[in-house]
Amino acid sequence: MVQTKVKQTNMPIIIICAITAAVLITAILTAILLPPKELKVSLAGYGSTESGIPASHGLSVNASGSYYTNPDLAKIQIGVETKNPDLRKAQTESNQIMESIMQTLKDAGIEEKNMQTANYSISPHTPYDSSEIDYYRVNNKLHLRIYELAKIEEILNRAVEAGANQIGSIEFTLEDYEQAREQSYELAMNAAQKRAAFLANGMDVELGDLLAITGSHTNYRPFYFSGYANQALASEPGMESGYSESISAGQIEVNTQIDLLYAIVNKL
């Protein structure tokens, strides 16, 4: 009777051990015999995708495209600086000269909407060895938008003749660069596709689907002409009223950089 009770007591333990062993054997056989699950592609800068392509089977390329075009707009600041011990006289002189400049610009074809006051400042000047103000300096600057680029030299010379004695550097730019951006994007895309095909051929593999287009951004570089910069053209003794240096508008560069991620489907 005692032996029978012992066998009945150990029976559940034997059954549990047998079940555990069976589960372990099944898991091992499953891991060996069944194919691995599909992997997500995860490359630096691209994140993950449910493409089912192993990470080692992806090809990423980077390329850029630059599109050059002629500018259609020039931005420039012109101004007048006056000095006088009497502040009111300095202001009056500055205002009168600026009114003359603006009228001259209108006569040259610049619409009033393309003229905007950029800066108006008053600065007292005190000698280093005295606490008394010896004169006041009044600066009045005007921001211009010029669309007739062929007339820039004429316009600036007429402004100088009207009393302008400060002319900043000229920025040649585009009124709307969206079309140029699209052109540069197309150039970058073509370059990236050619680079991917070249690399795939060198690696003896075949390109699959295009999985991602990332990192696309456009740099827009206006052209600056500084021949007029910081020229006190009309106020310095001995200087002619006008400026004869030839102005060239050059070209605008619109550059786009792009990253493409391709799947590699099989060997050639």
Side-chain angles (χ1 to χ4, degrees), residues 62-84:
N62 173 274
S64 65
S66 289
Y67 179 74
Y68 295 87
T69 186
N70 295 326
D72 57 16
L73 172 63
K75 298 179 181 179
I76 187 170
Q77 283 190 7
I78 65 174
V80 57
E81 179 182 282
T82 58
K83 301 175 184 178
N84 198 295

Side-chain angles (χ1 to χ4, degrees), residues 6-36:
V6 171
K7 289 181 180 180
Q8 290 177 349
T9 302
N10 292 337
M11 185 62 68
I13 297 175
I14 295 172
I15 294 173
I16 292 173
C17 291
I19 293 173
T20 302
V23 171
L24 290 174
I25 292 171
T26 302
I28 293 171
L29 291 175
T30 300
I32 295 174
L33 298 177
L34 293 181

Side-chain angles (χ1 to χ4, degrees), residues 77-147:
Q77 283 190 7
I78 65 174
V80 57
E81 179 182 282
T82 58
K83 301 175 184 178
N84 198 295
D86 188 313
L87 175 57
R88 289 188 177 276
K89 290 183 179 180
Q91 288 179 294
T92 299
E93 182 183 5
S94 175
N95 293 338
Q96 289 176 345
I97 295 175
M98 183 54 71
E99 288 177 4
S100 175
I101 292 172
M102 293 181 67
Q103 185 58 54
T104 298
L105 294 173
K106 291 177 183 178
D107 295 341
I110 306 297
E111 297 183 36
E112 189 170 355
K113 67 179 182 180
N114 292 321
M115 294 185 282
Q116 182 182 40
T117 299
N119 177 63
Y120 187 92
S121 63
I122 300 173
S123 305
H125 182 269
T126 304
Y128 72 93
D129 58 350
S130 174
S131 60
E132 298 293 329
I133 297 174
D134 57 352
Y135 65 83
Y136 291 89
R137 178 188 290 111
V138 178
N139 272 294
N140 194 350
K141 293 183 179 179
L142 192 66
H143 181 78
L144 300 180
R145 295 167 61 89
I146 302 175
Y147 291 92

